[in-house]
Amino acid sequence: MKTIYNSIRDEVVKHSKVKNSVLGNVNEWKRSHYIILSEIIKDELSEAEELKGGKKFEIGNTISHVTLQRFFENDYQDKTHNDLRFLKTLDKICIFLGYKDLNAYIQFVKEKKQEKENDSDHAFLTKMVYDYCATVFEFYKNFPNHKTELFKELVFDGSPFLERASQFSKELCDRDFQLVTKNNRSNYEVFDINILTDGPDKKVLESQEFWNLLFKVGETGEEHFVNQLNTQIYFIRKINNVWKIWDNYNPDAGRLNKKI
């Protein structure tokens, strides 16, 4: 409730009627400023649809400057949870802010918080896929050195994905494959990343990827091209409170190995 309490105070300060009044030019409010705030709130509440009818007589449509000053200057205390007068004051302030009542404001804050968490999760997972693809490209650039340790921060050791990818890539390194990067000859692009499954300890992501790679073989100079546009699926797990890639479905995995 303390978070809600502080959030309401912030919202009042940001309210257009408050910002566009003399209060918007004052950093520290005094008694006279709370009198002005009380009048601003009274004017708004007098027109509020939520207070037309019986609710106006239930909670009133004014807030004294003394109550407002106490609300802004005193720290939140748990005992105010059970103070009916205080809750009615919060109801009126929330109506002033454009909400039906305090409960509606609390619900709004919860939904907003959930949206932020979802956005944060999506950004984190999307970055993981981008980072993985960048690491794959760096991995190829090191051929014929087989540096699977590059994946340590992104892919779980002992995962089926790492074992499978390591096997395919080791065959290419053993054949002395080298990636050609001069003049941007080899490149890749990742786009349209979507979350398919969003569980507490397992996420499934889908990405569209384009890989355009040119490999040359050791002394012979034999060229092998990879030109693939496909949909890949990433299975990401949380183990010991750490999120990493556990498996991947790539319809073109190992295709170059089969050609040679």
Side-chain angles (χ1 to χ4, degrees), residues 150-209:
L150 291 174
F151 297 105
K152 184 177 181 180
E153 299 300 319
L154 294 166
V155 182
F156 280 113
D157 287 338
S159 65
F161 181 31
L162 187 60
E163 292 180 7
R164 192 168 58 249
S166 179
Q167 178 185 343
F168 288 145
S169 57
K170 185 67 166 58
E171 291 178 5
L172 301 181
C173 287
D174 288 345
R175 291 172 179 266
D176 202 18
F177 270 57
Q178 299 171 26
L179 185 69
V180 178
T181 57
K182 187 177 181 179
N183 297 324
N184 197 36
R185 181 58 191 83
S186 296
N187 51 73
Y188 72 96
E189 185 177 356
V190 184
F191 47 96
D192 289 342
I193 299 176
N194 298 299
I195 298 177
L196 302 181
T197 301
D198 190 9
D201 54 9
K202 182 176 70 175
K203 316 283 185 182
V204 180
L205 273 68
E206 174 188 74
S207 70
Q208 298 287 323
E209 300 179 17

Side-chain angles (χ1 to χ4, degrees), residues 104-143:
Y105 182 76
I106 292 173
Q107 184 61 32
F108 166 78
V109 171
K110 286 182 179 178
E111 291 175 357
K112 191 174 181 180
K113 181 182 178 183
Q114 186 62 51
E115 286 178 5
K116 286 184 177 180
E117 290 176 353
N118 291 342
D119 289 344
S120 178
D121 284 348
H122 189 274
F124 168 73
L125 295 169
T126 298
K127 184 178 184 299
M128 184 179 292
V129 173
Y130 279 121
D131 287 349
Y132 168 75
C133 291
T135 302
V136 169
F137 194 68
E138 187 65 27
F139 178 64
Y140 289 153
K141 286 165 65 176
N142 278 277
F143 276 17

Side-chain angles (χ1 to χ4, degrees), residues 1-10 76 105 109 113:
M1 189 65 180
K2 183 177 181 179
T3 301
I4 297 296
Y5 185 90
N6 292 331
S7 178
I8 291 174
R9 290 197 294 199
D10 290 341
Y76 172 80
Y105 182 76
V109 171
K113 181 182 178 183

Side-chain angles (χ1 to χ4, degrees), residues 225-243:
F225 295 91
V226 174
N227 193 273
Q228 300 167 352
L229 173 63
N230 61 29
T231 299
Q232 297 203 33
I233 307 295
Y234 292 88
F235 300 87
I236 300 172
R237 294 178 59 183
K238 182 168 73 171
I239 300 176
N240 295 327
N241 211 35
V242 175
W243 286 99

